[in-house]
Each structure stands twice: as structure tokens, then as C-alpha cells.
């Protein structure tokens, strides 16, 4: 019996050069990849778009990433194991998993190969949509808080004043929840005015509109200075953080470092500064994914999803992410596509109007039914 990857083709979304944005994405039919040693072939159920995905398209990793064109982007995904490569243990066909597939990516496709070492079993209580938000977004928030010295359990270290910038974004929504878990930290969050209630609901003690003077000063009505900052936004110079940090010292963990911020960080390290900027070097670990999945199962954290797009509309999600106005995560949802195909197969012509109406009510693009 031939393997699923031996002769079949699949639908995928790729780009074949740097630049182009959403219009540079192309819908293609390509061979199903074959898992190599240490890899899993996964039937993709959901993939989560991160800013780093389209930044690579813009050329931020040029000339090293992408390593070749055409390239299938998006490295945060959830799916079902279909086939095992040589030497893989701990997984079997039919397992539901989450994975970070960097630098190979491959999320907006019907199938993807991922390294088994970068995958974790997904409990049945965690949906593919939720799971696809964990490997990068939630794991980045977790690592940033650890880097800043913020304890995540009751009694785990001293109470700290924690600031999360861009708190309504994919990483920020998780950072607020994780920082609030211990119960003894004071969490301040910045975001746009329309998301203030959201971040308060996620656990922020103070929520600041970044368009106000308080938001610009990074200090709320309490006047607290911060011991730890998870900086998810872009465009803030070090001079904006220094007066907002605790006099005894504080750490700003920068998730979007640029050359200038790296230079500042090196200077702080050389001078043993009490107030420090630390660029985050992200590396997702399987044990962190397992821990975060457990938190989702226990109801301690949840994924905030801005929007979901079928594979055929992945370019719309890409454009939404590039706009910088998403609240939470943007998902390419393969299940939506499958549901449309199932309806197409079972719907008779006389019921077309009825099905289209139901599709519109549920947010499904009715063009798929023609």
C-alpha cells in the first residue's frame, strides 16, 4: 500500500519571491511532501499567522530565509499525524498534534512535514484553532516572562509590577493571562481603546489606551513603575521605557528588536545596568508546549482569535495581519474548507439557496457552493 505522500498532490499557498504582500501569495497544487528521518507528515487542520511570517516575505531574513523559492509560509500549526519518518517515536498516525515548523514553515497547505522534536500531542479538550496559537504566540509570552524574572505560580518569586505592551495582539493576550496566573503580580497593559475591556478581562489590573498621555508614559493611574516589561509593540525607543522602570531596576524584554535596540542591550550588559533592555531570542521547547496545553485544558489561559479564513482566502488573513489591527490571532482554518467541500458533495441543486443562506449565517464564503 502506497503512503499518503507517495503520489498525491495537495493545495497550498506559496510566494515565489521577496515582497508582494498578500497579492504575492499564490494558490498552487503541489506534491504532498514526504517525511524524512525524524519528521512527521501532518494533515493540517489550522495554521496561525504571525508577523514574522510576512516579515520574512518582506526580506527581513534575506538572503538566508526563506532558503529557497517557491516557499510555503506560516510555521505555527495544528493537525493530525498521517505518516512517520524513520526513527520517530512517541507519535503514531491519528495523533492530534501542535507544532512549530521553523524555518521550514508549510502551514497554509493540506499537508506539512514537521520535526517530531518540535511537536507536542494535543489533548482532545484543545481544539485545532486553540492549538495552533500555542507553539509560537503562547510560548513566546511564556519565555518573555521567564526572561524578565516573572514567576508564574503562587509563591514563585516576589510580586512584581509587570507591563505588557500591545497587549491585545497574539503574544500580548497570552502574556497578560500568564502574568496574572500567580495572583500576586500587578499587571498593566497597553492597547487600543477598543480593546481595553478585553485585556482587563484577561487579567490586567490596569489597561492603558496607547493613544492617551498615560499610554505614552507607560504608567497608569496607580503611578506604579515596572519591574518587568514584555514589549510586544514596535517603535518605542529605550528612552520611553527608562523613566517607567522601577528605580531599583527593571527589565524590558524586547520581542521585536532592531539594530539600535540590540546595541542598547549590549551597552546595558557591559555596564551592568540596573535598568536593562534584553532582546528575546525565541526557541520553542516541547515541554513548554506541553505545559501551555495543560493550562488551556485547565482553563487557566485561552486563545483570543481575531478571525478565521479558509485556505482559499488565506491571503485575506495575511493582509489583516500586515495591517497591524488584529485582536489576538489570525487563523487559516482548514476545517472551514473541508466543511464547504462536504456541503458541495451533499447538497442538491434545489437546496442551493437554503445552503447559501446557512453559509452566510455561519460566516462561510458562499462562492464555494457554485
Amino acid at each position: 500500500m502506497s503512503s499518503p505522500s507517495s503520489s498525491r498532490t495537495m493545495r497550498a499557498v506559496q510566494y515565489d519571491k521577496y515582497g508582494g504582500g498578500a497579492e504575492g501569495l499564490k494558490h498552487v497544487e503541489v506534491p504532498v511532501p514526504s517525511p524524512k528521518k525524524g519528521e512527521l507528515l501532518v494533515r493540517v487542520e489550522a495554521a496561525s499567522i504571525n508577523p514574522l511570517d510576512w516579515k520574512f516575505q518582506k526580506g527581513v531574513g534575506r538572503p538566508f530565509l526563506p532558503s529557497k523559492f517557491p516557499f510555503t509560509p506560516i510555521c505555527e500549526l495544528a493537525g493530525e499525524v498521517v505518516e512517520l519518518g524513520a526513527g520517530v517515536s512517541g507519535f503514531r498516525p491519528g495523533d492530534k498534534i501542535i507544532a512549530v515548523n521553523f524555518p521550514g514553515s508549510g502551514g497554509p497547505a493540506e499537508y506539512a512535514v514537521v520535526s517530531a522534536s518540535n511537536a507536542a500531542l494535543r489533548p482532545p479538550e484543545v481544539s485545532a484553532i486553540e492549538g495552533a496559537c500555542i507553539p509560537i504566540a503562547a510560548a513566546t509570552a511564556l519565555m518573555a516572562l521567564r526572561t524578565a524574572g516573572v514567576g508564574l505560580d503562587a509563591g514563585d518569586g516576589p510580586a512584581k509590577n509587570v507591563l505588557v505592551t500591545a497587549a491585545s495582539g497574539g503574544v500580548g493576550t497570552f502574556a497578560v493571562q500568564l502574568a496574572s496566573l500567580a495572583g500576586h503580580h500587578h499587571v498593566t497593559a497597553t492597547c487600543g481603546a477598543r480593546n481595553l475591556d478585553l485585556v482587563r478581562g484577561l487579567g490586567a489590573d490596569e489597561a492603558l489606551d496607547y493613544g492617551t498621555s498615560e499610554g505614552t508614559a507607560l504608567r497608569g493611574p496607580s503611578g506604579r513603575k515596572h519591574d518587568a516589561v514584555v514589549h510586544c509593540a514596535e517603535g518605542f525607543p529605550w528612552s520611553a521605557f527608562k523613566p517607567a522602570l522601577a528605580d531599583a531596576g527593571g527589565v524590558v524584554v524586547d520581542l521585536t528588536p532592531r539594530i539600535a535596540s540590540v546595541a542598547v542591550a549590549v551597552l546595558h550588559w557591559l555596564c551592568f545596568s540596573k535598568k536593562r533592555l534584553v532582546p528575546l531570542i525565541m526557541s520553542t521547547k516541547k515541554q513548554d508546549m506541553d505545559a501551555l496545553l495543560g493550562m488551556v485544558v485547565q482553563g487557566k489561559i485561552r486563545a483570543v482569535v481575531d478571525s478565521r479564513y479558509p485556505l482559499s482566502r488565506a491571503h485575506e488573513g495575511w493582509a489583516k495581519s500586515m495591517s497591524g489591527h488584529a485582536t489576538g490571532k489570525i487563523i487559516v482554518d482548514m476545517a472551514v474548507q473541508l466543511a464547504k467541500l462536504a456541503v458541495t458533495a451533499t447538497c442538491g441543486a434545489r437546496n442551493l439557496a437554503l445552503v447559501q443562506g446557512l453559509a452566510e449565517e455561519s460566516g462561510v464564503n458562499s462562492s464555494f457552493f457554485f
Side-chain angles (χ1 to χ4, degrees), residues 29 56 64 66 86 102 114 128 158 161 174 203 233 253-254 272 316 360 367:
E29 191 91 7
F56 281 139
F64 305 106
F102 181 83
V114 303
N161 295 320
F174 280 114
V253 180
D254 190 358
F272 301 97
E316 295 180 33
E360 290 172 2
S367 65

Side-chain angles (χ1 to χ4, degrees), residues 290-305:
D290 288 334
L292 289 162
L293 286 167
M295 293 180 196
V296 175
V297 171
Q298 296 168 32
K300 292 182 177 180
I301 61 173
R302 64 182 178 89
V304 176
V305 176

Side-chain angles (χ1 to χ4, degrees), residues 334-361:
M334 301 300 293
V336 172
Q337 188 84 0
L338 291 172
K340 292 171 183 175
L341 292 174
V343 171
T344 302
T346 60
C347 173
R350 65 189 180 89
N351 292 320
L352 186 59
L354 170 63
V355 173
Q356 286 176 314
L358 293 173
E360 290 172 2
E361 290 178 10

Side-chain angles (χ1 to χ4, degrees), residues 1-366:
M1 181 177 179
S2 62
S3 70
S5 57
S6 60
S7 59
R8 294 177 55 185
T9 61
M10 67 177 187
R11 289 169 297 140
V13 173
Q14 299 180 332
Y15 57 85
D16 56 13
K17 61 182 178 180
Y18 291 112
E23 294 182 356
L25 299 181
K26 298 181 179 180
H27 294 266
V28 296
E29 191 91 7
V30 296
V32 174
S34 297
K36 299 176 183 177
K37 183 177 181 180
E39 293 182 334
L40 308 170
L41 175 65
V42 176
R43 181 181 294 107
V44 179
E45 295 177 329
S48 176
I49 301 172
N50 291 287
L52 192 60
D53 294 315
W54 48 260
K55 287 180 180 179
F56 281 139
Q57 185 196 31
K58 282 188 169 184
V60 72
R62 192 173 189 170
F64 305 106
L65 295 172
S67 58
K68 63 179 180 179
F69 293 114
F71 182 70
T72 307
I74 307 181
C75 50
E76 190 175 32
L77 58 89
E80 179 180 331
V81 176
V82 174
E83 186 180 344
L84 308 180
V88 173
S89 61
F91 297 95
R92 59 185 180 183
D95 282 343
K96 301 290 188 177
I97 61 120
I98 65 171
V100 54
N101 196 28
F102 181 83
S105 298
E110 292 179 296
Y111 295 89
V113 287
V114 303
S115 171
S117 62
N118 291 333
L121 293 171
R122 171 165 54 93
E125 298 90 345
V126 181
S127 70
I129 300 298
E130 293 172 307
C133 302
I134 297 296
I136 292 181
T140 298
L142 179 64
M143 187 173 181
L145 288 165
R146 284 176 177 164
T147 303
V150 178
L152 302 183
D153 297 314
D156 184 10
K160 292 181 179 287
N161 295 320
V162 181
L163 171 67
V164 180
T165 65
S168 59
V171 176
T173 50
F174 280 114
V176 170
Q177 294 177 80
L178 290 168
S180 303
L181 283 180
H184 61 292
H185 303 307
H186 183 93
V187 181
T188 302
T190 68
C191 61
R194 66 188 177 93
N195 290 318
L196 292 173
D197 288 339
L198 168 67
V199 297
R200 291 190 188 101
L202 295 175
D205 299 288
E206 294 184 90
L208 312 179
D209 175 2
Y210 58 67
T212 65
S213 57
E214 288 179 342
T216 302
L218 303 175
R219 295 177 65 183
S222 69
R224 294 171 184 257
K225 291 188 175 183
H226 311 296
D227 303 299
V229 179
V230 177
H231 181 37
C232 308
E234 296 188 37
F236 281 76
W238 168 248
S239 58
F241 289 105
K242 189 174 181 179
L245 292 176
D247 296 334
V251 178
V252 178
V253 180
D254 190 358
L255 273 58
T256 58
R258 299 184 178 183
I259 293 177
S261 59
V262 172
V264 170
V266 171
L267 180 63
H268 290 168
W269 179 73
L270 291 172
C271 297
F272 301 97
S273 301
K274 291 183 178 180
K275 298 183 178 183
R276 295 179 292 122
L277 181 67
V278 179
L280 183 69
I281 301 175
M282 182 58 194
S283 177
T284 299
K285 298 178 180 179
K286 183 181 182 300
Q287 55 264 42
D288 288 342
M289 290 192 284
D290 288 334
L292 289 162
L293 286 167
M295 293 180 196
V296 175
V297 171
Q298 296 168 32
K300 292 182 177 180
I301 61 173
R302 64 182 178 89
V304 176
V305 176
D306 177 275
S307 48
R308 296 158 56 184
Y309 298 87
L311 181 63
S312 60
R313 294 171 54 202
H315 57 283
E316 295 180 33
W318 195 266
K320 179 69 177 290
S321 180
M322 292 187 72
S323 74
H325 298 303
T327 300
K329 299 291 291 177
I330 297 173
I331 305 294
V332 178
D333 185 358
M334 301 300 293
V336 172
Q337 188 84 0
L338 291 172
K340 292 171 183 175
L341 292 174
V343 171
T344 302
T346 60
C347 173
R350 65 189 180 89
N351 292 320
L352 186 59
L354 170 63
V355 173
Q356 286 176 314
L358 293 173
E360 290 172 2
E361 290 178 10
S362 61
V364 173
N365 187 340
S366 60

